[in-house]
Amino acid sequence: MNGTEFKKYIGENIAKIRKFRGYSQEYISEIIDISPNSYSRIERGLNFPSAESFAKIIDALDISPCELFNFPNEESEEKIRKEVRRKLKIIEKDREKMINIWLYINSIV
């Protein structure tokens, strides 16, 4: 993966999470104190956020940094199923996260 692809994947992940949370680009750009245009360029993979902006994006989206580094891969279907089951077991006692998962699944199925 080259630098351009890396920025693109990070930007796409930020955009997906932001949309899932129901936030606009303007809202996030205001929270992290950058222009809406600059924020849009981050999501499109044209710019990469500074360390400070990156930390603010993570806080604004209420995620862990590793969630932005989940890139598409060629995993087997069985491996993907096992990983989904493992992660569901981790969060099954957290009602808020389970509701978010349920809402997300309902939106794509």
Side-chain angles (χ1 to χ4, degrees), residues 23-79:
Y23 299 143
S24 68
Q25 287 185 337
E26 292 78 16
Y27 174 76
I28 298 296
S29 68
E30 185 177 317
I31 288 175
I32 66 173
D33 198 28
I34 64 172
S35 74
N37 186 50
S38 293
Y39 180 78
S40 175
R41 292 180 60 81
I42 290 169
E43 284 195 358
R44 290 181 288 145
L46 302 174
N47 287 356
F48 197 77
S50 68
E52 183 179 339
S53 291
F54 200 75
K56 288 179 180 180
I57 290 169
I58 289 166
D59 285 343
L61 297 175
D62 191 28
I63 57 172
S64 65
C66 66
E67 291 179 71
L68 294 180
F69 295 95
N70 290 324
F71 298 132
N73 56 37
E74 304 273 332
E75 299 294 342
S76 72
E77 285 187 35
E78 184 57 30
K79 186 172 182 180

